[in-house]
Amino acid sequence: MSSTILHTPGLTPADEGKPAGGAEEEKNPFLVALGDRVRALRARRGMTRKATALAADVSERHLANLEYGIGNASILVLLQVAAALQCSLAELLGDVTTSSPEWLLIRELLERRDEDTLRRVRVAVGELLGTGGASAERGAGRSTRVALVGLRGAGKTTLGQMLADDLGYPFVELSREIEKFAGCSISEIQGLYGQNAYRRYERRALEEAIQIYPEAVIATPGGIVSDAATFNQLLSHCTTVWLQAEPEDHMKRVTAQGDLRPMAASREAMEDLKGILAGRAAFYSKADFRLDTSAQPLEPTFAALRSLVRQALQLAP
């Protein structure tokens, strides 16, 4: 039995292949664009609507509704249509990497590549576009902006200030710079304007830090990896170090800073923290270096960070 998109009463066989509803009916712009892409993909494949409907196991009338922007299809139906058109669901929905032939060709080249290969491609593209350096990947000419990434409680502020003092660099705590831009606290930004506004301020603060400071130690917010464009900018313009720690250490350090909110429901908070860490670890791992700050005192941890950074920047020990 064919899957359905819309139920249109009074449908006759003569109506098959025609869109339902009057021409004057207001259409949703997203559905119109979706329909345009379905038609374009069908034309590119050289398939008739009837053949496409048969391959997708939907009625021709329902496919017509979809193509004319009046069929609000389910995800499962869209998967069937995508399979019939031999494309991905992302291409059907209009992902930017499917928006032109060049994007599609690049995407095809990168599909099924391993993480190490993709990293090398990203660095090479950064060098080509002037946004990052393969020279840094080779270990020469690393940026003298050192950015520390990781979850809250990893030691970014404490170790960052110590490292800046040791190197004689300015110390930039990006969270404070975000608050300066907004003229209010981070909690107020998120409460009044929402997460998207906060991410915009975060990116502006990073852009300004990069522009102002050729040398600096930057402590970044834990969620900076949430916005790919901002995180890519950080990777391209800074020597990055992921300060790792076990979830229990993150929790202890946060509460030691005077934030007792996690203690209100410690088990639930710990599970949330583990989930956040698991979700961000793949992005944190893109940093140039990583340093485990768990289960060791501050001074040995700083000594390890100092040695790592000085060696990376080819500075005297």
Side-chain angles (χ1 to χ4, degrees):
M1 181 178 294
S2 295
S3 301
T4 59
I5 298 176
L6 289 175
H7 173 68
T8 307
L11 186 66
T12 66
D15 292 322
E16 288 294 324
K18 299 178 182 178
E24 69 282 355
E25 184 178 343
E26 186 176 350
K27 298 178 181 179
N28 182 285
F30 175 81
L31 295 179
V32 171
L34 174 62
D36 289 343
R37 283 190 294 274
V38 171
R39 279 203 309 277
L41 285 164
R42 182 165 61 78
R44 190 191 305 168
R45 301 289 186 267
M47 298 175 68
T48 64
R49 184 182 294 153
K50 183 175 183 178
T52 305
L54 183 63
D57 192 28
V58 300
S59 75
E60 189 176 347
R61 176 60 181 276
H62 293 143
L63 183 59
N65 286 345
L66 177 60
E67 290 189 357
Y68 281 91
I70 53 177
N72 192 2
S74 71
I75 290 295
L76 290 177
V77 168
L78 291 178
L79 282 171
Q80 291 170 225
V81 173
L85 294 173
Q86 297 179 310
C87 69
S88 67
L89 184 59
E91 187 170 358
L92 205 62
L93 294 176
D95 181 84
V96 66
T97 60
T98 67
S99 59
S100 74
E102 287 297 340
W103 265 120
L104 285 168
L105 291 171
I106 291 170
R107 181 177 176 142
E108 175 64 26
L109 285 173
L110 297 179
E111 280 186 332
R112 294 179 294 279
R113 305 292 180 178
D114 59 50
E115 282 290 296
D116 186 58
T117 300
L118 291 174
R119 178 187 176 92
R120 294 201 305 272
V121 170
R122 173 173 59 80
V123 171
V125 170
E127 183 181 51
L128 176 66
L129 300 179
T131 60
S135 59
E137 186 77 1
R138 294 191 296 267
R142 286 193 180 278
S143 171
T144 47
R145 298 181 204 90
V146 180
L148 306 180
V149 302
L151 282 186
R152 185 181 177 193
K156 293 171 294 183
T157 299
T158 302
L159 290 169
Q161 184 66 71
M162 294 171 70
L163 182 64
D165 292 342
D166 179 80
L167 297 174
Y169 290 177
F171 176 63
V172 180
E173 191 168 4
L174 211 58
S175 294
R176 302 289 78 81
E177 301 305 310
I178 293 169
E179 291 178 334
K180 290 178 185 177
F181 264 114
C184 58
S185 69
I186 287 175
S187 60
E188 289 174 324
I189 297 171
Q190 295 176 335
L192 292 172
Y193 308 114
Q195 191 67 219
N196 289 339
Y198 170 77
R199 293 298 168 208
R200 288 196 298 272
Y201 283 121
E202 182 179 63
R203 187 171 188 183
R204 286 178 58 193
L206 177 61
E207 288 171 346
E208 182 165 286
I210 290 170
Q211 185 176 14
I212 293 175
Y213 301 107
E215 298 176 341
V217 175
I218 304 172
T220 65
I224 199 166
V225 297
S226 300
D227 184 88
T230 303
F231 189 50
N232 198 44
Q233 190 172 41
L234 186 79
L235 293 174
S236 298
H237 292 90
C238 302
T239 297
T240 48
V241 183
W242 175 19
L243 298 183
Q244 293 178 278
E246 294 298 322
E248 293 77 12
D249 288 311
H250 281 290
M251 183 72 78
K252 284 190 295 186
R253 292 167 185 172
V254 168
T255 54
Q257 293 168 6
D259 188 349
L260 301 180
R261 289 173 296 175
M263 300 305 292
S266 57
R267 180 176 298 178
E268 183 178 351
M270 179 59 73
E271 290 306 310
D272 287 344
L273 190 150
K274 288 179 179 178
I276 292 170
L277 184 57
R280 293 177 179 174
F283 292 91
Y284 289 146
S285 68
K286 300 304 175 186
D288 298 305
F289 304 99
R290 63 180 70 185
L291 178 68
D292 190 348
T293 67
S294 283
Q296 56 183 336
L298 178 61
E299 290 302 327
T301 301
F302 171 66
L305 176 63
R306 178 183 184 276
S307 175
L308 184 156
V309 171
R310 283 187 168 273
Q311 184 175 357
L313 300 184
Q314 300 181 349
L315 300 175

